[in-house]
Amino acid sequence: MSNTTTLRSNTTVAFSLDYYYALYVNPPVVIGIFRFGYPITFFFGFIGSIASLLTFSRLSLRKISTGCLFMVLSISDTIYLCMCVIDFVEFGLEIPFYHHIQYDSFCRFRSFAMYVSQVLSAWTLVIISFDRWIRTRFPYKSGSICTPKKAMLLVFIILLLDIGIHSHVLTPLYGMLIPGFAMIACGPTIYSGTYFIFYFLTWSIIQILIISLIPVVLMLIFLTDIYINIQARKRAVIQPTNGSHDHHRSQHQKNLQRQMFILMLTSIGIFLTTTLPVATYKITSARQSNISTSIMQVAGVWIGLGWFQSLNYALNFYSHCLTSTLFRKEFILQMKYLAGDKRARANKMEVTATAFGTQTQVR
């Protein structure tokens, strides 16, 4: 008797999933965004991520905590872009995964990697802002506080918390919802009504808070205080008391820190521009009274804003090149170094030595 009931239950569930799989078809605008928008993101994103990793792997930047953090940001952005490639194949190229793979496990892996990378990228920017704030507020103590080792330890703690917060996505409570439909292909399984309600009414708000709103508020607070502090120092009249050797070294350090601040500012600017629209729409659309009748329209807008958000993970390298002379110089030197240019190799050692006060000459 129990076996018959189980069989009937499984048959009903299978029928329902197949029914909804056939009923919900991605709107043409959604297919168009995945098919034409995301390849542009991938082209610029992967090239930019590789170039950023190569640039920030230089010794002159790896010995600065902010440089190490930007390398973590590049890795996290690359992971997110890889997950977007999976979506591009399924929803853009319309190559069906349902019925061909274990879709529940596939959903757990895809969603977990995407969520973790989003949070890690956002909070890495917060740590970068915090790092710059310490260097501005406590310049004489920053050398001992803002070290690469301590920066990586903080990233590791954030990553552990990030994994812990999203661990529920790896459980049987999460899996396929309406496979093949871009907006809700993956989600809470239908077997747990409590988790289903939690995911859509509570978890969505938690995600928006930890991925976008809280990082945005913290970064704006740090940036505002940094700007106020910089302006106050500009108004202060400071007479140089050191010799030319120390003065040149001090000026180089100030230039280095200023350029790293510009890198931080542009990254945060892109983050704010690309993440706030999708966060705002997710909050409002999920609470529309007639959402069931406008699901296709919501899907189109949501996916479009999601693609716009993906630009945050693709454009950092190019904004750095446009706004920071230090980044351009380091990138060019790294390319020459990788091509075997001995002069670029020598410049690399000289720039590094100058940054840490062992030499005073920079070519």
Side-chain angles (χ1 to χ4, degrees), residues 10-24 26 86 89-91 94-107 110 175-182 184-186 190-191:
N10 291 338
T11 303
T12 303
V13 170
F15 171 77
S16 300
L17 288 174
D18 288 337
Y19 173 75
Y20 284 115
Y21 180 64
L23 178 64
Y24 284 95
N26 290 304
I86 296 175
V89 172
E90 183 175 19
F91 308 129
E94 298 183 275
I95 298 176
F97 293 159
Y98 183 53
H99 288 317
H100 297 284
I101 61 173
Q102 184 26 265
Y103 207 87
D104 279 319
S105 300
F106 171 70
C107 276
R110 175 171 65 183
M176 63 178 172
L177 188 55
I178 302 179
F181 191 64
I184 46 177
C186 302
I190 62 176
Y191 305 107

Side-chain angles (χ1 to χ4, degrees), residues 2 82 162 358:
S2 59
C82 289
D162 188 7
T358 58

Side-chain angles (χ1 to χ4, degrees), residues 91-318:
F91 308 129
L93 300 182
E94 298 183 275
I95 298 176
F97 293 159
Y98 183 53
H99 288 317
H100 297 284
I101 61 173
Q102 184 26 265
Y103 207 87
D104 279 319
S105 300
F106 171 70
C107 276
R108 291 166 194 150
F109 165 75
R110 175 171 65 183
S111 299
F112 179 78
M114 183 169 287
Y115 294 156
V116 168
S117 62
Q118 281 183 299
V119 171
L120 182 59
S121 291
W123 284 90
T124 299
L125 283 174
V126 173
I127 298 174
I128 291 172
S129 303
F130 182 61
D131 178 272
R132 293 293 98 193
W133 179 79
I134 291 177
R135 292 181 183 276
T136 304
R137 274 293 178 183
F138 310 102
Y140 298 107
K141 297 181 180 179
S142 62
S144 59
I145 299 175
C146 301
T147 64
K149 184 177 180 179
K150 291 180 179 178
M152 291 299 99
L153 177 61
L154 193 54
V155 168
F156 181 70
I157 293 173
I158 293 294
L159 181 60
L160 287 181
L161 293 174
D162 188 7
I163 292 173
I165 290 172
H166 292 96
S167 58
H168 64 91
V169 177
L170 297 175
T171 68
L173 294 173
Y174 190 91
M176 63 178 172
L177 188 55
I178 302 179
F181 191 64
M183 190 173 69
I184 46 177
C186 302
T189 58
I190 62 176
Y191 305 107
S192 175
T194 303
Y195 181 74
F196 195 93
I197 295 173
F198 162 78
Y199 184 87
F200 282 111
L201 296 184
T202 305
W203 176 246
S204 59
I205 298 298
I206 294 175
Q207 275 189 303
I208 293 169
L209 288 173
I210 63 177
I211 291 176
S212 183
L213 297 185
I214 294 178
V216 163
V217 170
L218 292 175
M219 285 186 282
L220 286 177
I221 290 173
F222 287 131
L223 273 178
T224 302
D225 192 71
I226 290 173
Y227 177 78
I228 293 172
N229 194 274
I230 290 175
Q231 294 303 311
R233 290 187 180 184
K234 283 183 178 180
R235 289 191 295 268
V237 178
I238 302 176
Q239 299 295 331
T241 58
N242 299 328
S244 59
H245 176 93
D246 293 335
H247 179 67
H248 179 82
R249 184 175 63 186
S250 176
Q251 287 298 111
H252 178 78
Q253 285 286 351
K254 288 180 181 179
N255 180 65
L256 182 65
Q257 300 304 334
R258 184 173 65 252
Q259 292 295 321
M260 296 303 288
F261 174 76
I262 293 174
L263 289 180
M264 176 198 72
L265 188 62
T266 55
S267 294
I268 292 175
I270 293 175
F271 178 82
L272 294 177
T273 304
T274 56
T275 60
L276 283 181
V278 67
T280 303
Y281 187 74
K282 282 184 177 180
I283 292 175
T284 56
S285 65
R287 282 148 181 79
Q288 291 181 13
S289 58
N290 61 339
I291 190 171
S292 59
T293 60
S294 59
I295 188 70
M296 296 301 178
Q297 178 184 353
V298 172
V301 177
W302 197 335
I303 297 301
L305 291 175
W307 170 76
F308 185 66
Q309 183 183 25
S310 73
L311 296 178
N312 170 60
Y313 307 91
L315 298 180
N316 279 323
F317 169 78
Y318 307 98

